């Protein structure tokens, strides 16, 4: 289900994500409609890393593998 946050590849929506607060970390749950290749997964991991830096908190990810 796509809610507020979308994942876009080449101008097309390919999934969504949501943020879940936890004590130790923030969890980013991805719900992708298509598979990502290795390069796209690396870029997504970089973007999530930048998000963690912005939040100043650790971020755990589900749905990226």
């Amino acid at each position: 289900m796509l809610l507020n946050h979308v994942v876009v590849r080449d101008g097309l929506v390919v999934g969504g994500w949501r943020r879940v607060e936890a004590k130790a970390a923030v969890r980013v749950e991805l719900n992708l409609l298509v598979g990502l290749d290795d390069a796209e997964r690396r870029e997504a991991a970089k973007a999530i890393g930048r998000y963690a830096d912005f939040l100043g908190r650790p971020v755990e990810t589900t749905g990226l593998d």
Side-chain angles (χ1 to χ4, degrees), residues 6-65:
V6 295
V7 178
V8 177
R9 176 178 68 187
D10 296 327
L12 299 173
V13 174
V14 296
W17 66 277
R18 71 182 190 135
R19 170 183 164 157
V20 178
E21 290 289 333
K23 274 190 176 183
V26 171
R27 188 171 64 245
V28 170
E29 297 177 346
L30 293 162
N31 181 16
L32 299 172
L33 303 171
V34 299
L36 301 179
D37 64 27
D38 290 338
E40 291 167 332
R41 280 193 293 279
R42 281 191 301 273
E43 289 302 315
K46 284 184 202 177
I48 292 166
R50 289 190 302 271
Y51 186 55
D53 291 343
F54 171 76
L55 295 175
R57 297 185 62 195
V59 172
E60 300 170 351
T61 307
T62 61
L64 189 55
D65 32 20

